[in-house]
Amino acid sequence: MTWADSDPAAERRYRAVAERALEPGALPELVEALFDESWRVRRLAAERLVALRQPDALLAPLLEVLGRRGQPGARNAAAAALVHLGPVAIGPLQRLLRHDDPDQRKFAADILGGLGLEAASPALVAALDDADPNVQVAAAEALGKTGGPPARAALERLLSRGGPLLQVSALEALTALGAPPPLTVLVPLVEHPLTRRSAWRLVGRVQHRSAWVLMARHLGHSPARDAALLAMGAARQALPGDVEAELALVVAQAPDAAAWLGRCLASEDEERRVGALHLVRAARLAALAPAVASAADAGGPAELALAVLSSLGAAGAAALAVGGPPAWLSMAREARAVAGEALVEHASPRLVPFLVELLDAGEPELAEVAVRALGRAQTGAAAEPLARALDDEALGGAAARGLALLALDFPDVTTRALERRLDAGPPSAALVHAWAGVVGAGAGPRLHRALHDEAEAVRAAAAEEAGVVPAEAAALLGMAVVDESARVRCGAARAVGRLRGAEGRALLERLLDDPVPAVLARACLSALERGEAWAAPRLAALAGHPDAVVALAALQAAVLLGVADDALLTGALAHPDGEVVKQALAAGASSRAVVAAAAGALAHPRWDVRAEAARALAAGGGAEHLPALRAAAGREVEPLAHQALVAALKALEAR
């Protein structure tokens, strides 16, 4: 097997298969390509064979390839093609299950399992009595993919009459089906060394307290505790409170429990890690908090690890601080995220020195965690490091929010920390936001000064915060709306939305005539926020603005203010940007003019616009639109758009 970039000949053969026209005459060539030495060519040939859509003609040659014992690559490619053929392959494969060659019978069982269709189960159940043990095992495994009541019953029967290998296959198949047998059937199997692991996994899926009791009892015995732990890992659901108490007692009685669970948390086996997480939570082993965080990975284990860390409380958070930032630097990204959330949740004054170390460690992710946690540390000692973090552009927003939270309990300390930063030199934008958030109505003088700062980001921040000084807000914003920087005027546009009274209207009128699209878009949203119906004519004009962001903002404001008439909506439908057209269709399904125009939008270049047009016609169209919908559905190639067109046809035909 070779890669395309290292085997030009294989690449040429791959392209030849890819470019071969899908016509009946291609069948022999594609079958021959199943024997190619390159796995890429074989895989593509199997896909192209299925794309021929000639299942009856394909079955015989594919089954013939299965019989080539010396060609494993070709056989596997043929098997993949048979799986893709779906139900039509069941009959021939059932007959293959009666072949004289056990190798052929095993292949048939594997492919029937790959189909995953319950219709294949009866033949597989019969194959459980095959004379060849390999065929029996393959049939049992396949039943775990096809399922159905007869399959489950047959698999359960194997647990009492089959040998260990067949029993393991049946156990794994029942696990795949999520169909645990009665607990009484499983109990003997958890004692056998060959079936123990698979049996315990099913015990974990038994929804009964007795299963948990069985796990707890075996966790106290070293020979069986690893397997019992796996059962807990398979369970996934939260443990009942009384069971947690029993498990805590078992863990407390095991002198090496912490060391054992630490090893389990570091295991590559996900079920082992999950089981260990359950036990750590039950026993409240706070010292294992770092190992709990490290056990996290994407998906379920990460969520469970976070829940366990949350249950460990302040003691667990303190354990996460052991070893300082260097220990955190060695954690994987997911582990850092989980540990960070736990640290923020249980931040306390005793953690401040560690959080400051984390802030200064030079890692942006760790610094962000430190800032969030400092904001919830419930101590004035957090004010100074948070104020220092305001100078970091990436941390400034979180630091400002943390200081506002801290100021609720420690207003004087927080204010003094900010004053020192303001007196030390030119302010950052985050420092201006923090000052306004902490000082409130007393922030006027500093905001006036900030509006004359050389940095446009600082002036923009002062403009955004003007509303915290109601008595001076209009004057502050009057300076901002004439600023040469569009960024500052955008900040003013945001603040105007929160400013009440006639003064706000005058400022908004000016902003709605701004030459910069970003300012115009923000002003449209502020008109909506203020409920300014008088702005309807200007919003109608802006709905046709060549900049899509402006047009979308104006359209949204007009619709929600209730001033979007037919002229505005149909004008938006003529916009060159598809997003504007789509929003106009979505907003105007109750308008006859929009519904009439929606028929034309069925030919729009963008499939999502065509889909939205179909939905508009479904909501407001009539029988006269059926021909256009039928024609559009006939030519539509995008699945989601076709689905919307079919739904619209059904809706109109039902009227």
Side-chain angles (χ1 to χ4, degrees):
M1 296 189 296
T2 54
W3 292 95
D5 58 2
S6 63
D7 186 354
E11 181 64 17
R12 287 193 296 272
R13 297 196 304 275
Y14 182 89
R15 291 187 178 278
V17 171
E19 295 168 4
R20 181 63 169 92
L22 293 178
E23 55 189 12
L27 180 58
E29 295 176 34
L30 293 175
V31 170
E32 183 63 29
L34 294 177
F35 295 88
D36 196 279
E37 63 181 21
S38 167
W39 67 269
R40 294 177 68 242
V41 176
R42 295 196 300 270
R43 183 178 67 181
L44 180 63
E47 294 171 356
R48 300 284 284 173
L49 279 168
V50 176
L52 282 174
R53 301 187 184 279
Q54 298 176 356
D56 293 334
L58 276 175
L59 287 169
L62 289 177
L63 291 171
E64 192 275 331
V65 173
L66 285 183
R68 304 284 191 91
R69 274 183 172 270
Q71 298 287 341
R75 297 175 85 194
N76 289 332
L82 285 164
V83 167
H84 286 300
L85 287 181
V88 70
I90 291 179
L93 289 169
Q94 287 175 332
R95 290 190 290 274
L96 192 63
L97 268 177
R98 299 190 292 273
H99 197 282
D100 291 339
D101 185 352
D103 180 69
Q104 292 284 285
R105 301 200 297 274
K106 181 183 180 302
F107 238 124
D110 290 337
I111 300 170
L112 285 169
L115 290 171
L117 299 171
E118 189 176 336
S121 290
L124 291 168
V125 169
L128 293 175
D129 294 321
D130 194 279
D132 188 278
N134 291 327
V135 177
Q136 294 175 4
V137 169
E141 292 173 350
L143 285 169
K145 302 171 184 176
T146 58
R152 291 194 292 271
L155 290 168
E156 283 189 25
R157 288 194 296 272
L158 287 181
L159 299 181
S160 57
R161 70 172 178 83
L165 184 60
L166 195 54
Q167 287 175 330
V168 168
S169 300
L171 288 166
E172 292 297 325
L174 288 167
T175 300
L177 294 174
L183 197 56
T184 52
V185 174
L186 290 172
V187 168
L189 296 170
V190 301
E191 306 293 347
H192 195 288
L194 293 180
T195 57
R196 179 182 295 149
R197 179 185 174 107
S198 297
W200 272 116
R201 292 178 68 201
L202 273 173
V203 170
R205 286 168 169 76
V206 175
Q207 302 293 318
H208 194 275
R209 188 180 182 282
S210 294
W212 289 109
V213 172
L214 185 65
M215 294 178 218
R217 189 169 71 237
H218 281 75
L219 283 167
H221 302 285
S222 294
R225 68 179 183 178
D226 281 328
L229 186 74
L230 290 172
M232 296 185 66
R236 297 290 177 174
Q237 73 268 25
L239 281 62
D242 58 339
V243 171
E244 277 203 342
E246 291 184 35
L247 291 172
L249 182 60
V250 170
V251 173
Q253 292 173 344
D256 66 335
W260 170 57
L261 289 173
R263 292 193 299 272
C264 292
L265 289 169
S267 170
E268 294 184 1
D269 188 318
E270 183 178 310
E271 289 184 349
R272 191 179 302 277
R273 293 201 309 274
V274 170
L277 288 170
H278 280 307
L279 277 184
V280 170
R281 178 163 57 183
R284 299 294 190 267
L285 296 176
L288 288 176
V292 168
S294 296
D297 62 9
E303 296 177 9
L304 179 58
L306 181 56
V308 173
L309 287 175
S310 180
S311 72
L312 297 179
L320 289 170
V322 173
W328 279 58
L329 294 175
S330 64
M331 285 186 181
R333 180 182 294 269
E334 196 74 30
R336 285 189 193 185
V338 168
E341 290 303 317
L343 205 62
V344 171
E345 181 181 357
H346 296 291
S348 64
R350 65 186 287 200
L351 292 176
V352 168
F354 167 72
L355 294 173
V356 173
E357 282 188 78
L358 210 60
L359 180 62
D360 297 333
E363 285 280 334
E365 292 177 18
L366 301 186
E368 189 266 341
V369 167
V371 166
R372 290 170 56 212
L374 283 166
R376 300 179 60 170
Q378 301 173 340
T379 173
E384 194 62 43
L386 281 173
R388 179 161 49 87
L390 292 169
D391 294 335
D392 188 309
E393 187 175 348
L395 301 175
R401 291 189 293 273
L403 285 161
L405 188 62
L406 201 63
L408 297 175
D409 295 315
F410 306 96
D412 295 338
V413 174
T414 306
T415 301
R416 286 195 297 272
L418 290 173
E419 285 175 335
R420 284 192 290 272
R421 302 302 296 178
L422 285 165
D423 293 338
S428 65
L431 181 53
V432 172
H433 285 300
W435 179 255
V438 170
V439 180
R446 296 281 189 177
L447 292 179
H448 272 283
R449 193 180 307 172
L451 279 168
H452 292 89
D453 197 275
E454 292 183 358
E456 65 175 11
V458 173
R459 302 199 305 277
E464 287 185 38
E465 298 294 350
V468 303
V469 192
E472 303 177 56
L476 292 168
L477 289 172
M479 299 167 58
V481 297
V482 296
D483 195 284
E484 63 182 13
S485 166
R487 183 174 180 178
V488 178
R489 300 198 302 278
C490 271
R494 289 188 181 90
V496 164
R498 300 186 292 271
L499 185 64
R500 297 292 171 250
E503 294 170 324
R505 172 169 176 167
L507 292 165
L508 183 60
E509 286 176 337
R510 183 182 185 98
L511 290 164
L512 285 170
D513 285 325
D514 198 279
V516 176
V519 180
L520 282 175
R522 184 59 249 186
C524 289
L525 298 179
S526 289
L528 170 61
E529 193 173 352
R530 287 173 55 86
E532 300 286 19
W534 57 264
R538 183 59 180 151
L539 292 174
L542 292 175
H545 195 281
D547 188 285
V549 174
V550 177
L552 284 168
L555 180 59
Q556 179 185 358
V559 169
L560 294 178
L561 286 171
V563 297
D565 56 17
D566 286 351
L568 185 152
L569 291 169
T570 53
L573 286 172
H575 199 281
D577 190 280
E579 284 299 317
V580 180
V581 177
K582 188 168 66 172
Q583 293 304 314
L585 288 166
S590 61
S591 162
R592 290 186 178 276
V594 171
V595 171
L602 293 174
H604 195 276
R606 283 179 46 165
W607 72 264
D608 55 340
V609 175
R610 300 195 297 273
E612 197 59 57
R615 286 189 280 270
L617 289 170
E624 67 275 17
H625 298 113
L626 284 171
L629 281 170
R630 291 192 181 104
R635 64 176 180 266
E636 185 58 65
V637 295
E638 289 292 338
L640 292 177
H642 187 267
Q643 182 180 344
L645 287 162
V646 171
L649 278 169
K650 290 180 179 178
L652 295 191
E653 288 168 351
R655 285 180 187 155

